[in-house]
Amino acid sequence: MRSKKLYMVLLGCRPLGRLTEQHDIFFGIGSSMKDLVPEIISSWPEAEGKMHVDAFREVTSVDGNVIEIIDRGEKPEPGEYKLFFINLGGYKAGEFDEFHYKMLSVAKTQGDAIRISKQTAFFKHTGFKGAPSHIDDKYGIDIDDIFSVKEILPAIYREKYAIRIIKKQSKEDDLMLGYFPLKQILAEF
């Protein structure tokens, strides 16, 4: 049996009545991407199953830390660190758009994760006077959104699994980028 992994998935679709493609992030746990498809579909009912994946990664390394998935019954190593998902937003002069940079960070607190995110090149260079980079005004800070990953996992995963963070050097995760219809995910991943 293959070990379970945490996946971060960028979903895309154009729901009825929308003029442009919409995106959302999905976190799931499985042995492969295809294990996640039923939960992906149920996570966005307005898409009526007509969605695709624009990017995904097995989350095995964040900020040089090893990320493991363990059964809820296993005793995790005591840890003061948490895995955070941060959605940074920013603007470029003359561009009619809001750009986003989605990142994961391992930190002790939400405040520490925010400080780490503000050191990224995106945060420092995407914005200008009157339209600064931000972490979307959640909690009155300059960040679009920030969440502890364990809190935003669908209940089906939270009930069975836990995230273990091991402070040890690890290689950076590979990013799978492109247009992946769900049929392709089921056949190839």
Side-chain angles (χ1 to χ4, degrees):
M1 183 167 105
R2 291 179 55 193
S3 63
K4 301 292 185 196
K5 293 199 171 38
L6 174 66
Y7 288 87
M8 178 177 170
V9 183
L10 177 63
L11 300 174
C13 81
R14 191 170 65 79
L16 187 64
R18 298 288 176 216
L19 300 176
T20 61
E21 183 176 329
Q22 311 289 294
H23 291 96
D24 201 4
I25 290 289
F26 174 85
F27 287 93
I29 295 171
S31 298
S32 66
M33 270 293 291
K34 67 181 166 188
D35 292 347
L36 308 181
V37 171
E39 286 303 313
I40 286 173
I41 291 170
S42 69
S43 75
W44 201 345
E46 301 83 5
E48 298 177 344
K50 298 175 187 153
M51 63 181 82
H52 60 275
V53 171
D54 283 310
F56 68 92
R57 76 186 257 196
E58 287 182 10
V59 181
T60 61
S61 176
V62 176
D63 298 338
N65 300 283
V66 173
I67 306 298
E68 291 182 347
I69 297 303
I70 59 173
D71 289 331
R72 180 61 65 198
E74 280 185 56
K75 185 174 173 31
E77 294 175 8
E80 53 193 318
Y81 290 90
K82 297 177 186 169
L83 179 61
F84 290 94
F85 165 67
I86 303 168
N87 183 29
L88 295 167
Y91 306 94
K92 295 179 183 177
E95 297 276 341
F96 190 79
D97 207 349
E98 179 185 8
F99 298 90
H100 286 94
Y101 178 69
K102 292 149 186 60
M103 64 178 283
L104 294 173
S105 182
V106 169
K108 290 182 180 180
T109 67
Q110 185 177 14
D112 290 342
I114 290 167
R115 279 187 283 289
I116 292 167
S117 74
K118 289 184 176 184
Q119 299 307 307
T120 63
F122 179 92
F123 193 87
K124 291 178 179 179
H125 301 292
T126 310
F128 53 93
K129 187 173 177 158
S133 298
H134 58 280
I135 306 170
D136 251 357
D137 217 18
K138 187 175 175 124
Y139 309 114
I141 54 176
D142 298 4
I143 295 185
D144 262 1
D145 300 293
I146 181 168
F147 300 98
S148 170
V149 172
K150 74 176 185 179
E151 294 170 4
I152 59 175
L153 274 169
I156 191 170
Y157 304 121
R158 281 194 320 266
E159 292 166 0
K160 294 179 184 178
Y161 306 107
I163 298 170
R164 181 185 322 189
I165 299 169
I166 302 170
K167 301 295 283 175
K168 135 178 139 175
Q169 281 298 59
S170 57
K171 91 173 190 63
E172 208 170 303
D173 292 334
D174 292 329
L175 302 179
M176 300 297 293
L177 306 170
Y179 180 87
F180 305 100
L182 293 183
K183 286 181 185 175
Q184 183 181 3
I185 296 293
L186 287 168
E188 296 178 25
F189 299 101

